[in-house]
Amino acid sequence: MASGTGNMTMSDSFAAQRPPFHIGQHSSKRDVPLTDLQYGYLLNQGINFTTTPVTNGHFKSRVFKLVSDHLELLAENNETSTSTETGSRADPIIPPLTPDDTGLVPSAAVNTYTAYISPWIDLCSTNPLIASISRQVLNLEVNYANFCGVRSIIIAGPSRDASQNGGNQALAQYSRAVQEALTIGAALTVLIHIPMYREPGINEVETLAVLQPEKTAQESASKEIDLFAAWASWHHVRSVCNYNLRLYVALQIPRVMPEKDLQTRWFAEPLHYLTIGPEVFQKNKSGFPSLSKHHQDMIFSYMRLKVVPWFLLCDVGPDAAGFKADDPSILSVANRQGLTDDDFPTLSDAANMSPSQNSRPGVDAHMAYLQWLESQQPPFTALESPTLTSFQDWLQSPLQPLSDNLESATYEVFEGDPVKYDQYEAAVIEALSEWKELDLPTSKEGGVVVIAVAGSGRGPLVTRALKAAEYTGVEVEVWAVEKNPNAYVYLLRQNQTLWGGRVNVVKTDMRAWKGPVVSQSPDGPVHGKVDILISELLGSFGDNELSPECLDGIQHVIAKPHGISIPHSYTAHMSPISTPKVYGDILARSATESTAFNTPWVVRLYALDFVCQKVPGRPRFQQAWEFSHPIPESTLANVEARRSGGIMGGGGGSMAGAAGANDHNSRYCHVTFVCRSQGVTHGLAGYFESTLYESRLNGHEGEKVEISTHPERIDQKSKDMISWFPIFFPFKEPISFPADTELEVSMWRQTDDTKVWYEWLVEAWTWVGQSSRIKVGSSGLCSSRKVACLM
């Protein structure tokens, strides 16, 4: 049973489309909002939005003087602003804003601006006075921007990380200030402007801290760069803000691209802006700005997100300050069409260009380059259709195929994936061909192979079975078994209009079906056996839609000893992941849904980071368990004995009061993953692989027809298959862990003979010696029993 996609058709014209670039401009020297003419000039240059300061230099001077005067007063009284003595601390209060302090006013254009909070405040200061004044400035500016109608604000990121001296205290101060800003600006989107990692040599902004410098330990110039420190600071901020859905990242692109692990870590975060400074661009030999191939690859990958990040050019690009209204060299976007690859050579090809090729009057070189780069993105693929993209990181409740009757639209969704049905048809072709070649006996006289499709739905597998029979020239008798009374009507119509009456349609739960009717007797119908049993009962984890239980219930109709089940077997696989967006959505749901964190969600996971690495003996994706069909007859006999009360007690996965008739379908696994870098995990991503048919011919053993959602093997087994999205087992609390951590996962598939549910436990262990380790985090025992799949 497939899970959650839409209509997968895509027009030919769509195939050439690419993600659009939305480009903004920020100037750190801008003191007042743009005039209408300046804004219009930037729009004509291709800029889509700009930032604006909330306050100006007059306000900055006033605040600096207020702090300076207060420090002088403290000095005269032999006091310090960092006194730890008990008693009140009379910090100065910043008076309200005046018209002299700000040029921002409510207007028709103000909601198109992004307000940039004064970067000269120091929210990370361990000095109580500096921290207090900085927080007051932040709150004043957020409150006023909110009043004016601004929709988004940018706050400069924390100036230090937890790994630095006093960094943890600084981050706590900073995070608390951001949380307060989110409360004050209740309608605002808040962006934290933070670097991908701390590059050495980046100029720091002068802040209030210059008025009273902090005494910090001398740092070694040769200190190693902690690539994940900036990310850890962001994680600290958003954790304190409880994964607020209005909190985003404005990610500063570095001059030198870091390792892929860090790029994918940020890919999973709620990116809103990618900010690019002048230092990121490299000039080719003709003097034209370009980005390295590594920068381009990262940008192209980030632009595949459901909500594409916007670009923000910081102190680079068209300069509105130097704009003259009567400048004849100003060209609009319309004047810059028809750009070619020759206009924007790669760095390696630049030597072959003449300087004259770079002269385009009135065109900002950086903007022109980005507009050209937009056209160089790979076109959307079929898997990036608007419908599929809309499902990125969108939570869906798992289906209850046994207890619910699905609607036609749901079946139609399942049928939109040709890859799955091509593989099923290939499996039936192999089975029929080998049956013919091995000259095996059939359940019906005359060499007619009896095929039953269990859970036929609207009949796509029935159609494929008939096509396979025509292809192989094998005569077949086809039975379609379906419990849904509405789908049954549809199957009857299909039999009249499409199948020409060649199919026997039966309305019943497959577990109650006694098999094909071969004759009638005075005592009632005589039932025969089935040679090939076909089903598509698989869920996102292979077994989460009760495929084992359903196939056990119908196994008695399979002919012995040559009867075939398609699928033949399936395995479940999992990996710990970081997926802040999905976790934030579940957290929001938990306010009204008590089972939100105990539900295994079906999600097309996209903005995620696989936090563990592949090491010898510890792959990134590990198998949980396996099911195969048909099961041994001895197991079936044991099931019947338990169900009839012939066995005392129980065992395995049987719950209190259960007979244990379904114990053979309970499972348990314990696997270990290795995480080389520090990080956080929000839950487990689950996948499956299935062998539909395995060859029985001598010399062909091991040849299989398979389907897979395993990220590392889907392309080789069932490329472009979209019928199943992954399953996500969330944690109530994210687990943060240091570098070189082992994540130990325990998982159970539980049953009480009436329903099936999952329980999962993840523990983080880090080594503190050659033979000693300590636990640094745990998910606690999670259980989906309250939302179990009903049998």
Side-chain angles (χ1 to χ4, degrees):
M1 184 72 68
S3 297
T5 57
N7 190 344
M8 306 310 166
T9 59
M10 183 177 66
S11 65
D12 292 338
S13 61
F14 175 76
Q17 292 187 6
R18 296 169 173 84
F21 280 13
H22 201 74
I23 305 172
Q25 198 262 356
H26 166 71
S27 173
S28 61
K29 297 178 181 178
R30 189 178 299 147
D31 197 42
V32 294
L34 296 172
T35 65
D36 289 345
L37 282 176
Q38 289 174 326
Y39 196 12
Y41 165 72
L42 291 179
L43 292 176
N44 281 339
Q45 286 285 310
I47 293 294
N48 303 108
F49 68 98
T50 68
T51 64
T52 183
V54 180
T55 58
N56 55 27
H58 179 274
F59 178 70
K60 177 181 178 181
S61 299
R62 186 156 68 89
V63 173
F64 269 68
K65 185 176 188 308
L66 182 70
V67 175
S68 181
D69 290 346
H70 184 73
L71 290 174
E72 287 182 7
L73 181 62
L74 291 176
E76 290 175 2
N77 296 330
N78 293 320
E79 298 177 28
T80 69
S81 63
T82 58
S83 174
T84 58
E85 296 176 6
T86 58
S88 62
R89 192 184 75 243
D91 290 335
I93 303 298
I94 300 177
L97 296 176
T98 69
D100 292 334
D101 295 325
T102 177
L104 187 66
V105 294
S107 67
V110 75
N111 62 4
T112 66
Y113 288 128
T114 296
Y116 205 109
I117 300 301
S118 294
W120 44 264
I121 61 177
D122 187 6
L123 296 170
C124 279
S125 179
T126 55
N127 184 310
L129 172 62
I130 302 299
S132 172
I133 295 297
S134 297
R135 194 164 56 253
Q136 289 183 55
V137 172
L138 173 66
N139 293 344
L140 272 174
E141 295 192 353
V142 167
N143 209 350
Y144 185 67
N146 191 53
F147 164 78
C148 289
V150 170
R151 294 179 179 176
S152 302
I153 62 168
I154 302 178
I155 304 175
S159 57
R160 68 183 83 180
D161 303 314
S163 56
Q164 296 179 348
N165 182 40
N168 198 53
Q169 177 186 348
L171 279 176
Q173 290 265 59
Y174 181 94
S175 302
R176 177 62 184 83
V178 172
Q179 192 273 340
E180 190 173 2
L182 284 163
T183 303
I184 293 172
L188 291 174
T189 294
V190 177
L191 296 91
I192 305 300
H193 195 187
I194 193 165
M196 184 173 277
Y197 68 95
R198 306 283 184 186
E199 282 189 294
I202 300 298
N203 294 329
E204 298 290 338
V205 177
E206 181 183 80
T207 68
L208 284 168
V210 300
L211 298 177
Q212 193 172 41
E214 299 176 33
K215 295 179 181 179
T216 58
Q218 188 72 26
E219 294 189 11
S220 170
S222 61
K223 183 180 178 182
E224 224 177 275
I225 298 175
D226 183 354
L227 286 178
F228 287 85
W231 171 85
S233 295
W234 154 252
H235 175 55
H236 184 286
V237 174
R238 61 100 176 276
S239 297
V240 170
C241 296
N242 205 26
Y243 286 77
N244 193 298
L245 297 180
R246 292 186 289 117
L247 185 62
Y248 292 87
V249 173
L251 185 63
Q252 182 180 324
I253 304 303
R255 287 177 298 186
V256 179
M257 291 303 299
E259 59 192 43
K260 283 286 186 182
D261 283 352
L262 183 58
Q263 293 182 44
T264 56
R265 178 68 55 83
W266 283 111
F267 178 81
E269 299 298 341
L271 299 176
H272 195 354
Y273 291 170
L274 300 177
T275 72
I276 308 177
E279 71 280 353
V280 179
F281 289 96
Q282 306 176 35
K283 285 189 176 181
N284 57 30
K285 291 189 178 180
S286 64
F288 205 90
S290 299
L291 294 175
S292 73
K293 185 68 166 59
H294 297 296
H295 285 89
Q296 293 180 34
D297 289 345
M298 185 212 68
I299 287 172
F300 291 166
S301 66
Y302 282 14
M303 292 301 291
R304 254 44 192 189
L305 288 163
K306 177 180 178 179
V307 180
V308 297
W310 295 356
F311 294 91
L312 185 63
L313 293 175
C314 297
D315 295 324
V316 68
D319 182 15
F323 161 70
K324 296 180 180 179
D326 57 352
D327 189 345
S329 67
I330 296 172
L331 298 177
S332 68
V333 175
N335 299 120
R336 300 201 298 275
Q337 302 303 313
L339 300 177
T340 67
D341 289 3
D342 294 333
D343 294 303
F344 304 101
T346 62
L347 297 175
S348 60
D349 294 337
N352 299 323
M353 291 191 60
S354 64
S356 62
Q357 289 177 275
N358 188 34
S359 57
R360 298 179 65 87
V363 179
D364 179 79
H366 298 88
M367 279 299 302
Y369 174 76
L370 287 178
Q371 289 165 348
W372 170 82
L373 187 63
E374 179 182 14
S375 69
Q376 301 306 298
Q377 299 175 95
F380 284 125
T381 66
L383 297 183
E384 293 169 325
S385 68
T387 301
L388 271 177
T389 300
S390 70
F391 278 98
Q392 283 184 14
D393 302 312
W394 184 60
L395 297 170
Q396 301 172 80
S397 299
L399 294 175
Q400 290 272 10
L402 289 183
S403 58
D404 299 337
N405 287 322
L406 304 182
E407 298 177 354
S408 180
T410 305
Y411 287 119
E412 187 176 0
V413 166
F414 302 153
E415 297 163 15
D417 179 11
V419 176
K420 173 181 67 176
Y421 293 106
D422 287 346
Q423 291 298 94
Y424 264 94
E425 184 177 338
V428 179
I429 287 174
E430 288 298 314
L432 290 175
S433 298
E434 292 190 5
W435 200 292
K436 181 178 179 181
E437 189 169 345
L438 293 170
D439 194 24
L440 299 176
T442 60
S443 297
K444 188 169 183 178
E445 294 180 0
V448 178
V449 176
V450 181
I451 297 177
V453 179
S456 300
R458 300 200 315 175
L461 283 182
V462 176
T463 301
R464 294 302 185 116
L466 292 171
K467 286 184 177 181
E470 293 172 3
Y471 180 84
T472 57
V474 176
E475 188 176 355
V476 298
E477 178 182 281
V478 178
W479 292 75
V481 182
E482 176 56 50
K483 74 173 181 65
N484 187 337
N486 307 306
Y488 171 71
V489 177
Y490 190 91
L491 290 170
L492 292 175
R493 180 169 284 110
Q494 288 288 83
N495 199 24
Q496 293 173 351
T497 60
L498 180 64
W499 303 325
R502 293 176 292 168
V503 178
N504 303 283
V505 181
V506 180
K507 183 203 167 295
T508 184
D509 186 315
M510 69 180 72
R511 295 168 296 178
W513 190 45
K514 296 181 179 179
V517 176
V518 295
S519 64
Q520 295 289 338
S521 72
D523 297 327
V526 177
H527 298 278
K529 296 294 184 180
V530 169
D531 298 314
I532 300 177
L533 178 69
I534 307 172
S535 68
E536 54 173 331
L537 306 169
L538 296 169
S540 296
F541 206 44
D543 52 82
N544 61 296
E545 292 186 12
L546 305 193
S547 178
E549 285 72 17
C550 291
L551 292 181
D552 286 354
I554 196 176
Q555 177 175 318
H556 64 276
V557 306
I558 299 179
K560 304 178 186 64
H562 303 298
I564 295 170
S565 171
I566 297 177
H568 168 66
S569 64
Y570 33 93
T571 53
H573 304 259
M574 60 184 169
S575 185
I577 63 170
S578 172
T579 173
K581 183 185 183 306
V582 171
Y583 177 81
D585 287 345
I586 296 175
L587 185 63
R589 281 183 182 236
S590 66
T592 55
E593 297 180 29
S594 61
T595 58
F597 278 110
N598 290 315
T599 299
W601 296 96
V602 173
V603 193
R604 189 189 179 209
L605 295 168
Y606 194 82
L608 82 162
D609 176 32
F610 293 107
V611 297
C612 61
Q613 284 74 41
K614 183 178 181 179
V615 298
R618 295 283 187 265
R620 173 170 277 181
F621 302 92
Q622 297 193 41
Q623 181 175 319
W625 45 66
E626 180 178 15
F627 290 90
S628 61
H629 303 282
I631 59 175
E633 288 299 315
S634 58
T635 302
L636 273 185
N638 193 35
V639 168
E640 288 304 315
R642 285 175 180 259
R643 188 172 287 125
S644 63
I647 295 180
M648 296 297 294
S654 59
M655 296 292 106
N662 197 39
D663 279 9
H664 63 289
N665 284 325
S666 65
R667 294 289 189 274
Y668 167 71
C669 73
H670 183 87
V671 293
T672 301
F673 298 89
V674 176
C675 304
R676 292 274 179 84
S677 305
Q678 65 168 301
V680 60
T681 176
H682 301 95
L684 301 169
Y687 307 89
F688 80 92
E689 293 190 298
S690 176
T691 298
L692 298 179
Y693 181 76
E694 185 170 1
S695 177
R696 300 190 289 185
L697 285 175
N698 290 331
H700 293 268
E701 293 88 348
E703 294 183 9
K704 303 174 183 178
V705 179
E706 299 175 281
I707 55 176
S708 173
T709 64
H710 190 297
E712 294 177 337
R713 298 200 281 257
I714 184 173
D715 284 351
Q716 91 184 57
K717 296 185 177 182
S718 49
K719 183 176 174 56
D720 294 339
M721 186 180 70
I722 51 177
S723 288
W724 290 273
F725 292 161
I727 197 167
F728 179 63
F729 298 93
F731 305 149
K732 294 182 181 68
E733 294 287 343
I735 302 175
S736 297
F737 52 83
D740 297 321
T741 292
E742 293 181 339
L743 296 179
E744 295 199 3
V745 180
S746 298
M747 181 172 277
W748 296 260
R749 187 183 196 265
Q750 302 279 33
T751 177
D752 65 358
D753 294 351
T754 62
K755 56 185 176 289
V756 171
W757 69 94
Y758 295 89
E759 295 175 356
W760 57 100
L761 169 67
V762 178
E763 299 169 296
W765 296 84
T766 189
W767 291 94
V768 293
Q770 280 191 330
S771 59
S772 175
R773 62 178 191 162
I774 58 172
K775 185 161 71 173
V776 294
S778 173
S779 66
L781 183 62
C782 308
S783 173
S784 66
R785 187 169 189 172
K786 290 185 179 180
V787 289
C789 202
L790 302 178
M791 294 169 59

